[in-house]
Structures are given as structure tokens and as C-alpha cells.
């Protein structure tokens, strides 16, 4: 069963909710990778990287289910983030959002690139199912590309 959703552009007022989604989605992986989730440091990083013009909120009914952030660079689309609240995972939303990013990239004749933490095997598997392959490795991350 697929969950119906829509995307809406982010605004500056969405800083707190996108941080909440980020913490819900990434806290365990950050702790597994670096040993600690420093709340102040993580919020400061999120605030400095939050650019509403690249972010879209994933809405289910009237609730925020997650968000996606994509940057259109000269040579590729950079999938910065695709995060969902736990309760919205495994319903097909992530795959549908990813498919829309890939369709946009095809229309622009560009590949999609991303990075994923090594410990986040579920995300890497999702990307692999959609045609992404590892093109580079770093100690904490895999860099992947599709199409």
C-alpha cells in the first residue's frame, strides 16, 4: 500500500521541523559513526546548511512526513538529504520521492549524486534498488551515482 503525499516548498519557518526530521532519521547513525549526538552542534550544522530554496517538505495529509533537499549543480543533481520520520518509513514514500528526483535529473540530462553513511545500510539498499552505485568511498561514507 502506497501512502499519498505531496511536496511543498520549504520556508525559513521550517528550520525547526526539518531539524526534528533530521534528528529522528539520523541520530542513531551519527552516534554509530562518531560516538555521540551533540544536540547543539547538530542544530548549528543544520541551521548553517538549511537553504529553503533547495528543500521540499514531504506532506501526508496536513503533517510533515519528512523532507528532500536537492541542489542543481552544473554537472549533476546533488541529493543532499532525503529523510522521513520513522512512522512514515516503509510505505513507499522514499522510493516515490527518489523516483521524482531521478525523473527530474533525466529531464535535465544529468546524473544524480549523493553520499550516505556507511552504517546506514537501509538507505544504501534503497539507493541501490533505484540504480545507484558506489563510485567513491571515504572512511565514514559511500558516494553514489545514478544514471
Amino acid at each position: 500500500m502506497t501512502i499519498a503525499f505531496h511536496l511543498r516548498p520549504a520556508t525559513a519557518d521550517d528550520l525547526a521541523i526539518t531539524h526534528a526530521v533530521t534528528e529522528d532519521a539520523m541520530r542513531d547513525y551519527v552516534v554509530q559513526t562518531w560516538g555521540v549526538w551533540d544536540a547543539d552542534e547538530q542544530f548549528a550544522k543544520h541551521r548553517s546548511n538549511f537553504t529553503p530554496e533547495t528543500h521540499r517538505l514531504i506532506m501526508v495529509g496536513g503533517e510533515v512526513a519528512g523532507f528532500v533537499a536537492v541542489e542543481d549543480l552544473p554537472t549533476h543533481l546533488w541529493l543532499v538529504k532525503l529523510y522521513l520520520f520513522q512512522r512514515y518509513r516503509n510505505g513507499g514514500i522514499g522510493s516515490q520521492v527518489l523516483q521524482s528526483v531521478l525523473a527530474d535529473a533525466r529531464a535535465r540530462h544529468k546524473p544524480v549524486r549523493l553520499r550516505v553513511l556507511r552504517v546506514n545500510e537501509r538507505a544504501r539498499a534503497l539507493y541501490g534498488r533505484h540504480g545507484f552505485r558506489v563510485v567513491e568511498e571515504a572512511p565514514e561514507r559511500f558516494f553514489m551515482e545514478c544514471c
Side-chain angles (χ1 to χ4, degrees):
M1 178 178 173
T2 303
I3 298 172
F5 71 93
H6 72 276
L7 299 177
R8 79 152 170 85
T11 69
D13 293 336
D14 294 318
L15 177 67
I17 190 67
T18 55
H19 178 66
V21 173
T22 300
E23 182 171 0
D24 186 70
M26 295 302 296
R27 182 184 189 111
D28 290 345
Y29 299 119
V30 168
V31 171
Q32 288 176 49
T33 302
W34 291 287
V36 66
W37 175 273
D38 181 313
D40 292 336
E41 176 186 354
Q42 292 298 326
F43 185 76
K45 283 182 182 180
H46 182 74
R47 184 178 50 232
S48 70
N49 293 319
F50 179 66
T51 51
E53 60 273 10
T54 64
H55 287 59
R56 302 289 176 266
L57 273 67
I58 302 165
M59 306 296 297
V60 173
E63 291 188 21
V64 174
F67 70 93
V68 60
V70 179
E71 294 177 2
D72 186 3
L73 302 175
T75 60
H76 63 280
L77 293 187
W78 180 251
L79 178 55
V80 182
K81 298 174 183 174
L82 173 51
Y83 298 159
L84 293 168
F85 276 123
Q86 175 70 37
R87 66 186 174 274
Y88 290 104
R89 294 181 203 148
N90 300 314
I93 294 173
S95 288
Q96 290 179 72
V97 172
L98 188 55
Q99 289 170 357
S100 72
V101 171
L102 291 169
D104 185 37
R106 281 191 294 277
R108 296 169 190 263
H109 305 288
K110 295 180 180 183
V112 178
R113 296 182 184 152
L114 60 86
R115 65 183 189 175
V116 60
L117 289 175
R118 283 181 176 267
V119 297
N120 193 345
E121 294 174 7
R122 290 183 59 201
R124 191 165 53 123
L126 169 71
Y127 298 133
R129 286 192 304 272
H130 289 274
F132 283 82
R133 60 185 174 77
V134 175
V135 294
E136 188 179 335
E137 296 184 28
E140 296 96 3
R141 302 178 195 279
F142 291 108
F143 294 83
M144 303 179 81
E145 183 176 308
C146 183
C147 313

